[in-house]
Amino acid sequence: MGSSDRKKKEKKKDFQKPKLKVGKSKPKASNFTDTSFKAKSIVLQQQLSETAPDVVERFKHQLSLTSSRTDTQRRDALSYLTGQLSTNPPTNPVGTSTLLQKVLPLMPDSSKSVRSQLLKLLQQLPADEVRPHLQKAMLYIRGAMTHLSQDVKDDGLNYMEWLLDIAGEDVVASPGCWVKPLKDLMSVLGWTLPTAPSQATKGGWTTAPRTTFGSKKFGHSFPRQMMVLAKFLELGFKPETPNPWTPNDWVSGISTVPRTPDPFGYLGLFKPPRDEDGEIYRNREDRQDIFARRFMDAVEAGVDMAKKEGGAAGRAAAVLDKALRDGMGDYERALRVDDDEEGMWTGYIM
């Protein structure tokens, strides 16, 4: 009986109007939502722009990503730049000089994919625009060829072949690009002349170098190194084609602009004097002379040892031997003043 009366009273409450007292507000409902707040928004300036970044800005942005710490970003950036350079006409708003300055340090990169993509990018560059930067490119190529990692060394050979393909004759005639690469190739091959020890050490040890071939993991690198050396020597010993003389040569030799990079570099007017390794060897005879004095015996001994191995190494040695015979077959050592006779010119004004 009591429960039914309670239920009736609860039903009546739903239909009763609350008596409002003066000075008191109406009570809020249980599901009331306050909508008096104000929303604050952050607006970026780029969101207001309806146009996307142009090609120049995207190119510069991707070029800056080549120095990223992530291998994937470096590879993707190089891939984008390669695609822009492969278009017709090529898109390169920063110029080849700036591009090479950013990408050449990636030659000894630790990532294989980055080095492979870099080679594809370099192959898209015009040869005429790369020629003024041969010395800088050779510096990084030599660093890659003499790297501690064998994989980087192999890719260094790829870079060397690329440079020889686009400007081989200019490379061998550039300052420091004949003797220094030869020294690096000889060091990589392990071909050095054993020098007689001045004083025997304890236990009978000497300082004579030892050459080993046939590495199990990187045995394929040895024949390829010889092939690159053979190509380098072929370009260095290539006979120069004489141009027929015309009476206009008197004027053209004075008025025309030289086409070779650093044409007066041999004078050494604005640079410190170079040593024998960094000297310019512009003609074939000078290159033959320095090669005969410093590398001929070591290369011949190395070729003979490689021929005995047979296989890929023997075939590569045969190619190198042919390049050596073709390039040095007509060499005759010029009569020069011996070191012991340098004093005979003292007091003479030359």
Side-chain angles (χ1 to χ4, degrees):
M1 204 49 199
S3 62
S4 61
D5 293 339
R6 186 173 64 252
K7 290 180 180 180
K8 289 179 181 179
K9 289 180 180 180
E10 290 177 354
K11 288 181 179 180
K12 288 181 180 180
K13 287 182 180 179
D14 296 337
F15 301 98
Q16 290 178 353
K17 293 183 179 181
K19 296 180 180 180
L20 301 178
K21 295 182 180 181
V22 179
K24 288 188 177 182
S25 60
K26 183 180 179 180
K28 297 179 181 180
S30 59
N31 60 350
F32 174 75
T33 302
D34 186 10
T35 59
S36 63
F37 63 88
K38 294 183 178 179
K40 293 184 179 181
S41 60
I42 300 176
V43 179
L44 300 178
Q45 294 182 355
Q46 281 189 339
Q47 290 179 343
L48 302 178
S49 177
E50 297 180 357
T51 59
D54 57 357
V55 178
V56 176
E57 293 300 326
R58 289 201 302 269
F59 192 95
K60 292 181 179 179
H61 175 66
Q62 294 294 332
L63 185 61
S64 66
L65 291 180
T66 55
S67 58
S68 173
R69 295 184 178 181
T70 308
D71 297 347
T72 306
Q73 282 189 340
R74 296 197 300 270
R75 181 200 62 198
D76 294 343
L78 291 173
S79 177
Y80 175 84
L81 298 176
T82 305
Q84 294 297 313
L85 293 173
S86 60
T87 58
N88 190 14
T91 304
N92 185 7
V94 299
T96 303
S97 177
T98 304
L99 185 64
L100 288 175
Q101 188 176 0
K102 291 287 292 185
V103 302
L104 284 178
L106 296 176
M107 284 188 175
D109 194 274
S110 58
S111 174
K112 173 68 176 177
S113 59
V114 173
R115 298 193 303 270
S116 301
Q117 190 62 48
L118 174 61
L119 180 62
K120 296 178 182 179
L121 184 146
L122 294 174
Q123 291 171 346
Q124 298 298 327
L125 295 176
D128 294 337
E129 298 180 8
V130 177
R131 286 191 178 93
H133 310 281
L134 293 178
Q135 289 180 255
K136 184 184 296 185
M138 181 59 74
L139 183 64
Y140 287 102
I141 291 174
R142 290 175 51 223
M145 288 196 307
T146 56
H147 198 271
L148 294 177
S149 172
Q150 186 65 38
D151 293 331
V152 178
K153 287 182 181 179
D154 293 341
D155 287 330
L157 297 176
N158 294 332
Y159 300 138
M160 175 63 84
E161 287 182 327
W162 159 74
L163 195 63
L164 295 178
D165 288 337
I166 64 171
E169 296 182 4
D170 294 329
V171 168
V172 297
S174 298
C177 294
W178 176 247
V179 176
K180 290 182 178 180
L182 281 175
K183 289 175 64 177
D184 293 334
L185 287 170
M186 298 292 287
S187 175
V188 170
L189 288 165
W191 292 350
T192 54
L193 281 177
T195 56
S198 58
Q199 183 178 359
T201 58
K202 294 182 179 180
W205 291 96
T206 62
T207 58
R210 180 176 297 177
T211 305
T212 57
F213 303 114
S215 175
K216 294 182 179 179
K217 186 176 181 180
F218 300 106
H220 62 280
S221 300
F222 178 58
R224 190 147 178 274
Q225 291 163 359
M226 287 191 290
M227 295 297 293
V228 173
L229 177 59
K231 188 174 185 178
F232 188 72
L233 293 179
E234 286 178 359
L235 292 169
F237 298 147
K238 183 178 180 181
E240 301 174 357
T241 54
N243 296 323
W245 184 86
T246 60
N248 295 330
D249 291 342
W250 289 105
V251 179
S252 62
I254 301 173
S255 59
T256 57
V257 178
R259 297 183 178 275
T260 58
D262 195 12
F264 304 106
Y266 65 94
L267 298 176
L269 298 177
F270 308 105
K271 296 180 181 179
R274 299 187 180 94
D275 54 358
E276 192 177 46
D277 293 353
E279 192 58 61
I280 303 177
Y281 299 95
R282 291 195 182 275
N283 54 65
R284 179 174 181 248
E285 289 74 16
D286 290 343
R287 292 192 288 268
Q288 285 179 325
D289 183 69
I290 190 67
F291 180 81
R293 287 192 288 109
R294 298 184 56 176
F295 305 104
M296 185 73 172
D297 296 336
V299 173
E300 289 180 344
V303 167
D304 292 339
M305 295 179 63
K307 284 182 178 180
K308 296 177 182 178
E309 290 191 5
R315 292 189 293 271
V319 175
L320 178 57
D321 186 40
K322 182 178 183 302
L324 197 63
R325 286 185 285 103
D326 294 343
M328 298 294 293
D330 58 345
Y331 170 73
E332 293 182 1
R333 185 175 180 84
L335 296 177
R336 300 173 183 264
V337 179
D338 296 332
D339 296 337
D340 298 337
E341 300 177 355
E342 290 183 356
M344 67 180 295
W345 302 106
T346 304
Y348 285 88
I349 300 176
M350 302 297 290

